[in-house]
């Protein structure tokens, strides 16, 4: 069965960077795009960007352009999201999602807390 | 950017009730690319409906979606205890992807 398993919770200081992983299994990793979405406490989800697992092409939301980097390791069937220059407003749960008919399978979420 | 507004913010209902959740866009959603998700604490979102009205794999037929253009709805025909959760609408037809703010279906 399709599964996306994300790395564990992170606590970071303002100005630091965080890198979240998303390990895919149960399907052909290279055939799909992976999107990243975050949801801050009590807020609506926000789309951050996507990466093609096959060729590595990326597209970023203008809001996060310059601060977010999406990569993937096809041999490890894992996608990564790195967010830099963290501020308190980046405190959120970060999700990866596979793009099938829609965003059909999601990771369990990785809480990231930014606090001094 | 397409802004999605969900209403009501909270639905207080009992098991066996019918739930109707609404989602309105501030512009036409291209290709009826609207999805609905269920979110429970500690879990990732679960896709229920895509293409406005198509049930995702394994989703029971108590869940149905409807709508086009700017107005969309999710109906849960008979609520069961496991259906009390947070629900989001989402449009993926016009970049950037956007989401509604959510409707909480809670026990009355």
């Amino acid at each position: 069965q399709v599964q996306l398993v994300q790395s564990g919770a992170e606590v970071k200081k303002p100005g630091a960077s965080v890198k979240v992983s998303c390990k895919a299994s149960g399907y052909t990793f290279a055939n799909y795009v992976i999107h990243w979405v975050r949801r801050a406490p009590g807020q609506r989800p926000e789309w951050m960007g996507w990466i093609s697992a096959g060729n590595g092409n990326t597209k970023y939301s203008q809001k996060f352009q310059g601060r977010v980097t999406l990569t993937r390791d096809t041999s490890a069937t894992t996608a990564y999201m790195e967010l830099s220059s963290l501020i308190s407003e980046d405190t959120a749960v970060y999700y990866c999602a596979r793009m099938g008919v829609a965003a059909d399978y999601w990771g369990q979420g990785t809480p990231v807390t930014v606090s001094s | 950017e397409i802004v999605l507004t969900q209403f009501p913010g909270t639905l207080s209902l009992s098991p066996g009730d019918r739930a109707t959740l609404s989602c309105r866009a501030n512009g036409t959603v291209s290709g009826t690319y609207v999805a609905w998700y269920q979110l429970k604490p500690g879990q990732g979102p679960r896709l229920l409906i895509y293409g406005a009205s198509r049930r995702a794999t394994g989703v029971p037929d108590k869940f149905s979606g409807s709508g086009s253009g700017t107005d969309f709805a999710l109906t849960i025909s008979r609520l069961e205890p496991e259906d009390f959760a947070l629900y989001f609408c989402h449009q993926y037809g016009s970049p950037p992807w956007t989401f509604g703010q959510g409707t909480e279906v809670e026990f009355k």
Side-chain angles (χ1 to χ4, degrees):
Chain A
Q1 72 282 20
V2 174
Q3 279 196 300
L4 298 175
V5 178
Q6 297 183 225
S7 48
E10 301 266 11
V11 179
K12 296 291 183 180
K13 293 195 182 302
S17 296
V18 67
K19 191 170 186 177
V20 177
S21 67
C22 171
K23 166 72 175 175
S25 62
Y27 71 98
T28 303
F29 180 69
N31 287 355
Y32 290 83
V33 165
I34 296 288
H35 288 257
W36 289 85
V37 173
R38 77 177 188 183
R39 181 170 178 250
Q43 302 297 310
R44 66 182 68 208
E46 280 186 293
W47 174 75
M48 301 179 70
W50 58 256
I51 181 166
S52 166
N55 61 18
N57 286 350
T58 55
K59 174 77 172 174
Y60 300 122
S61 164
Q62 280 194 333
K63 176 173 179 175
F64 298 100
Q65 190 84 37
R67 276 210 307 143
V68 68
T69 304
L70 302 182
T71 56
R72 94 285 188 230
D73 179 342
T74 53
S75 62
T77 66
T78 300
Y80 302 92
M81 185 284 299
E82 184 168 20
L83 187 63
S84 62
S85 303
L86 291 169
I87 59 176
S88 59
E89 288 77 13
D90 292 319
T91 294
V93 179
Y94 290 76
Y95 297 97
C96 59
R98 186 188 83 160
M99 187 65 190
V101 292
D104 53 3
Y105 290 93
W106 294 64
Q108 82 278 17
T110 297
V112 175
T113 302
V114 182
S115 173
S116 54
Chain B
E1 170 175 314
I2 298 283
V3 176
L4 300 178
T5 301
Q6 290 185 244
F7 52 94
T10 303
L11 264 177
S12 298
L13 296 168
S14 301
D17 286 348
R18 179 185 184 89
T20 301
L21 290 66
S22 298
C23 176
R24 177 165 291 159
N26 69 344
T28 299
V29 177
S30 173
T32 62
Y33 289 127
V34 167
W36 289 89
Y37 296 90
Q38 179 190 69
L39 184 62
K40 295 182 177 180
Q43 299 180 19
R46 173 194 180 197
L47 176 66
L48 300 173
I49 300 289
Y50 67 95
S53 61
R54 301 184 180 195
R55 263 189 300 279
T57 302
V59 173
D61 61 7
K62 62 182 174 181
F63 292 97
S64 62
S66 62
S68 64
T70 61
D71 289 286
F72 300 87
L74 173 72
T75 300
I76 312 171
S77 59
R78 286 179 57 86
L79 283 166
E80 297 180 77
E82 63 267 24
D83 301 328
F84 289 85
L86 183 60
Y87 292 84
F88 289 99
C89 61
H90 161 50
Q91 71 82 21
Y92 53 104
S94 302
W97 279 10
T98 52
F99 295 82
Q101 81 278 25
T103 291
E104 179 84 37
V105 177
E106 66 172 22
F107 284 102
K108 187 171 183 180

